[in-house]
Amino acid sequence: MATKGTPEERVKVLFVCLGNICRSPLAEGIFRARVEAAGLPWLEIDSAGTGAWHVGEKPDSRMRETARSHGISLESIRARKLSEEDLWTYDHIYAMDRSNLEDIRFLDASETFHDRVELFRKYDPNPDSLDVPDPYYGGRDGFETVFRIVDRTCASLLDSLQTRYGNELK
Ligand code: 4NP
């Protein structure tokens, strides 16, 4: 029998934004920290961007600094572009905003993976919008706002995944 937490049994989640240097790497870092704290080896986590401008780069320095100030390190993350293969690989793909969702759906023209792709903020317990706002062109405040949104949404998303899979995959 396969050991729990082996690659075949893992539930794979992917966070997707535009550049993969602000919102989705933050979600990856926060979610990973929460998953590690809870001891849940059956969850595998990654992030990607729909655009290729920043491929290979570390997350934006403002995002790294904001995350660090909350005890989250994003230092090991490097930007990559979302591929069609990701649609086959990941069980759950979370789009940071509606435009990202549209771009992901465009890659899935036959709608084969329709059910795997959803808006991240669907899980926000306190939603004032469906989108995580893009902080890239704004000031420092925007990064703090994004941190708060992504942090509380990651907590509620993890609860939801634990409810769905936690009893089978401990
Ligand atoms: P992200 O933010 O999608 O949260 O990573 C952005 C980063 C870079 C760009 C746009 C959004 N850009 O146009 O370079």
Side-chain angles (χ1 to χ4, degrees), residues 15 26-43 45 70-74 120 125 147-162:
F15 299 101
L26 179 68
E28 177 186 342
I30 292 175
F31 201 71
R32 189 182 303 288
R34 287 185 173 277
V35 162
E36 280 172 10
L40 305 170
W42 50 269
L43 270 166
I45 307 146
H70 291 276
I72 301 287
S73 172
L74 306 180
F120 177 69
F147 187 92
R148 284 199 302 273
I149 294 168
V150 172
D151 190 39
R152 69 173 184 249
T153 304
C154 278
S156 122
L157 174 61
L158 184 55
D159 281 349
S160 158
L161 289 171
Q162 278 194 274

Side-chain angles (χ1 to χ4, degrees), residues 29-168:
I30 292 175
F31 201 71
R32 189 182 303 288
R34 287 185 173 277
V35 162
E36 280 172 10
L40 305 170
W42 50 269
L43 270 166
E44 194 173 310
I45 307 146
D46 198 5
S47 65
T50 58
W53 309 284
H54 299 282
V55 166
E57 293 177 17
K58 281 187 177 187
D60 185 285
S61 58
R62 298 163 296 178
M63 195 75 266
R64 279 187 281 138
E65 227 170 81
T66 303
R68 196 181 312 124
S69 76
H70 291 276
I72 301 287
S73 172
L74 306 180
E75 297 304 317
S76 63
I77 299 175
R78 297 292 178 276
R80 71 173 184 87
K81 189 175 187 293
L82 179 74
S83 69
E84 220 174 310
E85 198 185 328
D86 289 323
L87 297 168
W88 293 88
T89 303
Y90 289 89
D91 302 293
H92 297 284
I93 299 178
Y94 301 107
M96 292 293 124
D97 67 26
R98 283 169 285 184
S99 160
N100 307 146
L101 184 75
E102 244 177 61
D103 290 341
I104 300 164
R105 295 229 184 273
F106 186 75
L107 271 186
D108 180 28
S110 60
E111 300 192 359
T112 310
F113 305 106
H114 194 271
D115 294 346
R116 298 186 178 195
V117 186
E118 49 189 342
L119 269 178
F120 177 69
R121 286 196 81 180
K122 190 177 144 189
Y123 296 90
D124 188 344
N126 188 18
D128 51 18
S129 159
L130 292 172
D131 304 320
V132 179
D134 186 348
Y136 188 66
Y137 293 106
R140 293 265 160 175
D141 284 3
F143 287 85
E144 194 54 44
T145 301
V146 164
F147 187 92
R148 284 199 302 273
I149 294 168
V150 172
D151 190 39
R152 69 173 184 249
T153 304
C154 278
S156 122
L157 174 61
L158 184 55
D159 281 349
S160 158
L161 289 171
Q162 278 194 274
T163 302
R164 177 161 175 185
Y165 297 104
N167 290 331
E168 302 164 43

